[in-house]
Amino acid sequence: MNEKGAGPVVVRVPVEPVEAAMEADALDAALHSTLAVRGPLFGVAAQGAGDGRRWRVAVEVTHGCPQQARDSLNSLLWFRAKDEAEDRAERRALLAAVARLESERVDEFTVLGTRYRVVRAEEYAGMDANGDIETPRPTDPEPLTPDWGPGTHGPRIDADLVLDPDAPLSPVQASERLTLRSLVYTGTRFPDSVLGDSVRAVESHPDVLLMPAAFQVVERSGTRSWRPASALHTSAHDARVTLYFSLMWFRPRLRGLISQEAAGDVDARTAVPEDAAAAAELTAFAGAAERLRAGRLNQVEVPGIALRIVRARRLLRWGPDGPEGPRPSDTNTQDPEVIHPRLDEDGIVHYEESAREEAS
């Protein structure tokens, strides 16, 4: 470890054909794109007594503000107290942590020997000379037999993810990690407090850890910039399933082409349009959805809108004590609050108290 706390980088040369192909894809992307930083995402990492420098993701690093991550941790610990606690003492410790999260913006604490920390990641993506965001790479995992059923998804993003700053890297990963160590915000659109915190983070957390790629639907209308149109997904196929459902079911309802009261199995193919214009739009939505599904496409268009599956990347800044937490300039969109009914130390949920509070 150097004087600033950044650990040594262990580089391994790919020897397997698939691994070598993935490295070639990564190198090609690095040579033909620039990086665009979207902004911070937040989650929660946990560290046990025997984890060494490793942390594991307890709450997915996908939330838009620190308080959303705290609220998710609140729920995680509440359900653990309700369903998993083995005795009163264990449940009491978990409920004490929940009580803090209901009233404080606490970013780190230890409960039952596990250290929890709200962590901050930077989301970024590759962009080409035309401003188009990188799509999935040929070597990104795809299911051999894709399942397009409604609600079909693979593992939740960041499920069972271990954050290990000492894990071996490929040459391209090592190069990217080294390059991104100096990443800071620049430009007049950022407040001085954000710029200052960004510079200080390079000193306090000089290393970076690259998280697995994620996939997302983005949309663009006219000459506007791409904007997010879905949550992050573990695989490109999961993002396509989300887009397929959106084109067939959600967007037609949002545009009033299908009544909100229509049965759940009514979609862009089976809806009865009110007029010729509605029929044309429904045909466009259904056609785009079927092209997406048949060709495993990464981009489709409907009148006025382009929809693309993109490859999102995230990095965690890392210091001597592990991953970076929220910065003073990071904003919260909500306050801490009571999320669940009162749970007592015997594991009894007092729903009636919540009902009385809502009625009063």
Side-chain angles (χ1 to χ4, degrees):
M1 186 176 293
N2 66 26
E3 68 278 5
K4 292 183 178 180
V9 176
V10 179
V11 179
R12 55 176 175 77
V13 178
V15 293
E16 296 293 333
V18 172
E19 192 177 19
M22 294 175 68
E23 183 74 353
D25 269 356
L27 179 60
D28 183 66
L31 293 175
H32 296 94
S33 66
T34 58
L35 296 184
V37 178
R38 180 167 174 246
L41 295 172
F42 301 89
V44 177
Q47 185 183 54
D51 288 334
R53 296 215 311 148
R54 295 184 299 274
W55 293 68
R56 57 183 171 82
V57 174
V59 171
E60 62 274 15
V61 188
T62 61
H63 297 279
C65 82
Q67 189 57 45
Q68 292 172 349
R70 296 185 199 106
D71 288 347
S72 292
L73 179 59
N74 179 331
S75 288
L76 180 74
L77 297 179
W78 189 90
F79 279 105
R80 182 177 167 189
K82 174 178 173 290
D83 300 328
E84 301 177 22
E86 296 183 355
D87 52 42
R88 285 184 172 185
E90 186 173 320
R91 189 174 290 112
R92 192 181 301 121
L94 291 165
L95 292 175
V98 169
R100 288 193 66 188
L101 289 164
E102 290 174 340
S103 59
E104 301 177 40
R105 286 195 172 125
V106 57
D107 290 329
E108 183 169 334
F109 57 81
T110 298
V111 58
L112 297 174
T114 299
R115 184 182 183 191
Y116 294 92
R117 175 182 296 175
V118 178
V119 296
R120 181 190 199 278
E122 208 71 69
E123 184 183 2
Y124 64 104
M127 296 187 73
D128 64 18
N130 297 319
D132 286 329
I133 306 174
E134 181 185 13
T135 56
R137 297 172 184 172
T139 49
D140 285 326
E142 295 275 7
L144 292 176
T145 306
D147 187 344
W148 293 89
T152 298
H153 287 292
R156 291 184 60 183
I157 191 165
D158 297 340
D160 302 318
L161 179 61
V162 175
L163 306 173
D164 185 356
D166 302 319
L169 304 172
S170 73
V172 173
Q173 288 173 331
S175 176
E176 183 176 2
R177 180 167 150 177
L178 183 62
T179 300
L180 291 172
R181 281 181 178 176
S182 59
L183 176 69
V184 294
Y185 293 158
T186 59
T188 57
R189 69 188 181 97
F190 294 106
D192 290 344
S193 59
V194 172
L195 297 174
D197 281 350
S198 181
V199 171
R200 283 186 287 274
V202 175
E203 294 296 319
S204 62
H205 295 78
D207 203 0
V208 297
L209 185 147
L210 305 178
M211 300 183 70
F215 302 88
Q216 184 177 38
V217 182
V218 298
E219 67 176 59
R220 180 170 66 184
S221 57
T223 59
R224 295 182 181 178
S225 300
W226 293 103
R227 63 177 185 177
S230 81
L232 294 176
H233 295 282
T234 304
S235 71
H237 177 69
D238 283 353
R240 290 191 199 102
V241 170
T242 293
L243 179 53
Y244 179 81
F245 174 80
S246 177
L247 290 165
M248 278 293 194
W249 197 94
F250 178 71
R251 288 176 182 266
R253 282 169 168 75
L254 188 65
R255 294 175 66 87
L257 303 173
I258 301 176
S259 168
Q260 296 287 349
E261 290 75 32
D265 59 350
V266 175
D267 60 25
R269 295 167 300 186
T270 59
V272 178
E274 294 183 357
D275 51 41
E281 282 199 74
L282 286 169
T283 298
F285 279 115
E290 293 299 348
R291 291 194 301 275
L292 174 81
R293 177 169 176 165
R296 294 194 189 184
L297 302 181
N298 292 322
Q299 182 165 327
V300 293
E301 296 185 6
V302 294
I305 303 175
L307 296 140
R308 170 176 286 210
I309 308 297
V310 299
R311 191 178 200 272
R313 290 135 81 181
R314 294 166 294 161
L315 67 88
L316 286 161
R317 298 210 71 94
W318 206 274
D321 194 36
E324 181 187 17
R327 299 173 185 175
S329 58
D330 290 327
T331 58
N332 291 280
T333 59
Q334 60 215 58
D335 293 323
E337 62 180 349
V338 176
I339 299 174
H340 299 284
R342 186 173 72 85
L343 175 69
D344 66 28
E345 62 183 27
D346 292 314
I348 299 172
V349 182
H350 295 267
Y351 295 104
E352 71 285 353
E353 294 182 9
S354 298
R356 284 198 299 268
E357 291 175 1
E358 290 177 1
S360 62

